[in-house]
Amino acid sequence: MSTHQLAALARTAEPRLMLRRFLALDAAVTGANALAYLALSGPLGRCLGAGPGLLLALGAFLAVYAGCVGLLAARSRPPALAVRAVVEANLAWAAVSFAALALWLTPTTAGAVWTVLQALVVAAFALLQHGALRQHQGSSV
């Protein structure tokens, strides 16, 4: 993704701010997902074809993850190693989502669509964060 495209999406050409905005957006979306899983595990479980226990566990995990990503986004200079860890965790989440769908989950149609969509969104966050990190590192040299 080009510098111009990243800047347009982040609404800033400043690489550090771009990186922080993509991390903050990831934290907000992940946090909202976590809250939905925690608060509505029963109804969402029925809709998606997932057990409420699984959604509660995922919600708890995602709440902690969102908090960590949010703390990273709040830093004026997010450490590159921590950002790389977020990128890799997001890519792993997307890969595991697809693998789970293919190998062991038996979701409803809505659940299958949701699993694919959330995996694609998480992968997109990883790509945006990676691109912004590269821009940031390029501007720091």
Side-chain angles (χ1 to χ4, degrees), residues 29-130:
V29 170
T30 302
N33 201 26
L35 290 175
Y37 285 177
L38 290 169
L40 303 168
S41 61
L44 280 176
R46 287 187 294 280
C47 177
L48 302 175
L54 174 62
L55 292 184
L56 284 172
L58 288 174
F61 170 78
L62 291 174
V64 171
Y65 183 76
C68 291
V69 175
L71 288 173
L72 187 59
R75 295 187 64 168
S76 62
R77 296 186 187 279
L81 185 60
V83 174
R84 280 191 207 99
V86 169
V87 169
E88 290 174 11
N90 282 344
L91 290 174
W93 179 274
V96 169
S97 294
F98 286 119
L101 189 58
L103 300 174
W104 66 83
L105 292 180
T106 53
T108 62
T109 301
V113 170
W114 174 253
T115 301
V116 169
L117 289 177
Q118 63 81 30
L120 292 174
V121 168
V122 171
F125 280 139
L127 294 175
L128 291 170
Q129 292 157 351
H130 176 72

Side-chain angles (χ1 to χ4, degrees), residues 1-12 18 22 120 123-136:
M1 188 169 272
S2 75
T3 302
H4 179 69
Q5 291 169 319
L6 284 172
L9 285 170
R11 296 183 178 262
T12 181
M18 183 185 311
F22 289 141
L120 292 174
F125 280 139
L127 294 175
L128 291 170
Q129 292 157 351
H130 176 72
L133 178 62
R134 289 187 63 191
Q135 293 297 323
H136 175 62

